[in-house]
Amino acid sequence: MEGVRTIASLGEFGLIRTLFAPLQQAEEALVTGIGDDAAVLAVPRTQHLLVTTDALLEGSHFLRDDDPYLLGQKALRVNLSDIAAMGGQPRWYTLSLALPPSIPVSWVEEFSRGLADTGREYQVNLIGGDTVGTKGCIAITITLLGLVGRGRALGRKGARPGDRLFVSGTIGDATLGLSHRLRRMTINNPDDLAWFQRRFHLPEPRVALGQMLQETALAHALIDISDGLVSELGHLCRESGVGAAIYTERVPLSDAARRVLAGAATPEQKESILRQILTGGEDYELLFAVAEGALDQIEALEARSGTRITEIGRITREAGVISLFEEGHPIKLPEGGFRHF
Ligand code: ADP
Ligand code: MG
């Protein structure tokens, strides 16, 4: 397009210097940052280092005309959710970008502003990365490092039969937003649509809650829901060698999601929406198993974290078996979550 300043005019190093290096904050633990061959971090002896990475690909995870400001935020947020799911404190990240030379500078400015705002909100620092040109689509890879006390990281293993199962926030909003976008479904209420879209584009990684679950040693097992509730529960059960029962009527829904369910024209349509809520991805809520007797502590945690926490079922003995119930009646297990291959 004529008149649009593209990143080709800025060059790789111009881009890094003007749009990414300014995101790096000086801090004691950062011995060497952007500008050398590798970053040098001072990791306390009392801590374990957590490392997670997530790639966002144009065409698979976002579209070229998506808001780059929200995309910058989301790229970091999906990684923050993984550190939350280990009970850790997120600290540093690297950014690998593959960009076609025709991308406008303004796109990268907005993307960088999104990273900066989420980085500030969750107190994580950009410490390096890689910037390359591509003839193909945009690819964004963030690697996020976090800290957790030695031996204290929470994982998917450790759920025990009889444990209560909890989730944070509400389930299914993001997938409803995505469905509207993909024209698989129409959301008519503009406020509800805005809410679903917000939940899809701007997930709220539950970092404080994850850390509290770790510090209080309340959760036996913990996972974040990126690929859908049923699928993630499957991972947790497999790793823990247990099964689970979910009482679907207890799964916390937003008012907007309730309205969508209530608006279903037929029982079949309602079932299909419920199925989508239970299996659709991108909620980035936490799912965790807690000892049966710990209900009071969980209530206290809900107040302290300011995050809604809802009991949705139980861990059972039968390894790998996940049963769903609606008002006491078994319902058929929906297909698992999103798969790339
Ligand atoms: P090298 O040639 O050693 O790979 P580069 O020239 O790719 O180094 O990068 C120069 C410096 O800029 C490095 O410190 C690298 O971490 C940093 N960097 C490159 N791209 C980014 C980016 N997108 N965001 C932040 N830092 C970056
Ligand atoms: Mg490089």
Side-chain angles (χ1 to χ4, degrees):
M1 247 184 301
E2 230 175 291
V4 172
R5 196 159 65 105
T6 66
I7 56 170
S9 68
L10 217 53
E12 177 190 344
F13 296 108
L15 206 63
I16 298 168
R17 196 181 57 249
T18 58
L19 294 183
F20 295 114
L23 269 57
Q24 178 181 274
Q25 307 289 311
E27 59 166 314
E28 214 177 297
L30 183 59
V31 181
T32 303
I34 295 172
D36 216 312
D37 295 309
V40 181
L41 299 168
V43 177
R45 299 170 74 92
T46 56
Q47 308 281 299
H48 274 171
L49 186 64
L50 302 169
V51 184
T52 185
T53 192
D54 258 307
L56 294 185
L57 276 186
E58 180 186 351
S60 290
H61 302 95
F62 65 93
L63 303 175
R64 181 71 63 99
D65 57 7
D66 276 350
D67 181 346
Y69 172 68
L70 291 176
L71 192 59
Q73 297 213 64
K74 184 160 179 176
L76 197 43
R77 282 163 184 258
V78 299
N79 280 283
L80 286 163
S81 181
D82 281 322
I83 296 292
M86 302 301 287
Q89 182 188 16
R91 290 293 299 274
W92 308 285
Y93 68 100
T94 63
L95 170 68
S96 283
L97 270 181
L99 297 171
S102 59
I103 292 288
V105 172
S106 59
W107 190 96
V108 190
E109 280 170 349
E110 283 301 287
F111 176 78
S112 162
R113 195 166 67 82
L115 281 179
D117 281 358
T118 287
R120 206 174 300 115
E121 185 177 339
Y122 288 88
Q123 303 211 309
V124 290
N125 203 357
L126 179 62
I127 58 165
D130 201 20
T131 307
V132 297
T134 174
K135 293 192 178 94
C137 59
I138 302 173
I140 303 159
T141 305
I142 286 182
T143 300
L144 179 63
L145 310 181
L147 295 175
V148 67
R150 289 189 83 89
R152 308 236 1 144
L154 276 174
R156 300 174 174 188
K157 287 191 177 72
R160 302 167 203 169
D163 280 358
R164 297 174 190 267
L165 266 176
F166 293 88
V167 290
S168 64
T170 55
I171 300 300
D173 296 313
T175 187
L176 294 176
L178 181 62
S179 282
H180 177 92
R181 165 164 209 174
L182 299 176
R183 300 180 200 284
R184 294 194 184 131
M185 164 188 263
T186 309
I187 311 286
N188 291 316
N189 179 325
D191 292 338
D192 290 351
L193 179 58
W195 161 257
F196 295 140
Q197 285 172 332
R198 184 185 163 84
R199 293 277 291 160
F200 177 77
H201 290 297
L202 204 64
E204 268 185 71
R206 305 297 187 182
V207 173
L209 176 61
Q211 267 183 278
M212 287 178 198
L213 287 168
Q214 177 265 115
E215 283 160 8
T216 56
L218 272 173
H220 291 159
L222 171 61
I223 192 168
D224 72 318
I225 306 175
S226 52
D227 290 342
L229 175 62
V230 171
S231 164
E232 303 293 359
L233 180 57
H235 294 311
L236 187 144
C237 286
R238 211 166 302 119
E239 289 301 317
S240 296
V242 295
I246 296 196
Y247 315 121
T248 56
E249 72 276 7
R250 293 201 199 169
V251 172
L253 304 183
S254 64
D255 292 342
R258 278 184 199 289
R259 278 191 285 273
V260 170
L261 264 179
T266 62
E268 290 73 38
Q269 201 183 357
K270 186 171 173 196
E271 197 200 300
S272 139
I273 297 169
L274 183 64
R275 180 173 299 230
Q276 195 189 333
I277 286 170
L278 296 174
T279 59
E282 309 243 11
D283 287 319
Y284 298 100
E285 295 294 347
L286 294 181
L287 168 69
F288 50 98
V290 169
E292 185 177 12
L295 213 52
D296 290 349
Q297 288 102 302
I298 289 295
E299 270 170 29
L301 204 67
E302 181 173 36
R304 197 150 67 88
S305 67
T307 304
R308 179 174 173 185
I309 301 174
T310 310
E311 185 177 354
I312 60 160
R314 289 283 185 141
I315 295 293
T316 58
R317 206 164 286 282
E318 237 184 314
V321 178
I322 295 177
S323 326
L324 301 180
F325 296 92
E326 190 173 3
E327 313 284 356
H329 302 291
I331 61 172
K332 226 178 105 227
L333 192 72
E335 292 290 309
F338 179 77
R339 298 243 160 89
H340 280 276
F341 302 107

